[in-house]
Amino acid sequence: MADKTAHDTLWELIKDIRFGMFTHRHSDGKLHSHPLTTQNKSLDADRNLYFFVSRSGEVARRVASDGLVNIAYADTGKDSYVSITGQASVIENAQIVERLWSKPAEAWFPGGPADPDLQLLQVRIVEAEYWDVKDSKVTQLFKMAKSLFTDEPPKDMAEHKVL
């Protein structure tokens, strides 16, 4: 991935992962997570991720008071993991909703893009980091087994970068 931009690398890692675990903070300081579907069809130049949430739901209420959030993505089949720190806000933008709308969203918002309960959650990416394992499962197991005999942790198990 060395020849790709950070922007391209991030999108390549998350584009096929259907759900991200969206973590926000309650007023008592406790962290809470919810699975949310990333609505983006690409990552825009402004580094925004978009999610549809319920106007009457917890996420919309919580990010109004504290927008610092984390979204964790995991593709266990490809052994790639992404953690995104961002600033979340609920925005009104019918054009973006219309552009991102898909038939599966109708299960939650039967009124379509104009559903009165639909809110657009925008997360501006502040920082992202990833772990991407390129070795086969056999090579990974060999490195872990070797560490048992050398009393040293396995090395070079994954590419890890902060974007």
Side-chain angles (χ1 to χ4, degrees):
M1 294 189 192
D3 57 334
K4 292 183 181 181
T5 67
H7 182 274
D8 293 337
T9 298
L10 178 60
W11 184 246
E12 189 64 32
L13 288 166
I14 69 171
K15 71 178 181 164
D16 295 325
I17 303 174
R18 186 161 163 77
F19 299 99
M21 285 304 293
F22 179 86
T23 303
H24 60 92
R25 188 174 21 232
H26 280 204
S27 58
D28 63 4
K30 292 179 183 168
L31 299 175
H32 294 261
S33 297
H34 308 263
L36 293 181
T37 303
T38 306
Q39 299 300 326
N40 295 57
K41 294 177 179 39
S42 63
L43 188 57
D44 65 24
D46 293 330
R47 301 181 324 269
N48 293 316
L49 293 173
Y50 295 101
F51 305 87
F52 295 149
V53 296
S54 170
R55 184 178 303 276
S56 59
E58 177 184 1
V59 172
R61 285 193 318 272
R62 297 298 177 186
V63 300
S65 62
D66 184 352
L68 185 61
V69 300
N70 179 271
I71 307 160
Y73 293 93
D75 185 332
T76 57
K78 293 181 181 176
D79 271 341
S80 65
Y81 308 88
V82 177
S83 177
I84 295 173
T85 300
Q87 186 63 43
S89 56
V90 175
I91 64 170
E92 298 289 336
N93 190 318
Q95 288 178 325
I96 294 175
V97 170
E98 194 68 44
R99 180 171 44 91
L100 299 176
W101 185 257
S102 64
K103 189 70 174 163
E106 211 166 289
W108 286 270
F109 304 103
D115 190 302
D117 192 40
L118 173 62
Q119 287 269 251
L120 182 61
L121 178 67
Q122 173 184 291
V123 177
R124 182 170 305 271
I125 298 170
V126 174
E127 182 178 272
E129 66 181 305
Y130 70 89
W131 298 261
D132 191 25
V133 177
K134 297 296 182 194
D135 291 335
S136 70
K137 299 287 186 204
V138 172
T139 302
Q140 292 176 55
L141 288 171
F142 174 76
K143 287 180 179 182
M144 288 187 274
K146 180 181 172 187
S147 73
L148 294 173
F149 295 103
T150 62
D151 289 329
E152 293 182 21
K155 293 185 176 147
D156 303 319
M157 289 293 288
E159 177 180 73
H160 173 239
K161 289 191 178 171
V162 175
L163 303 172

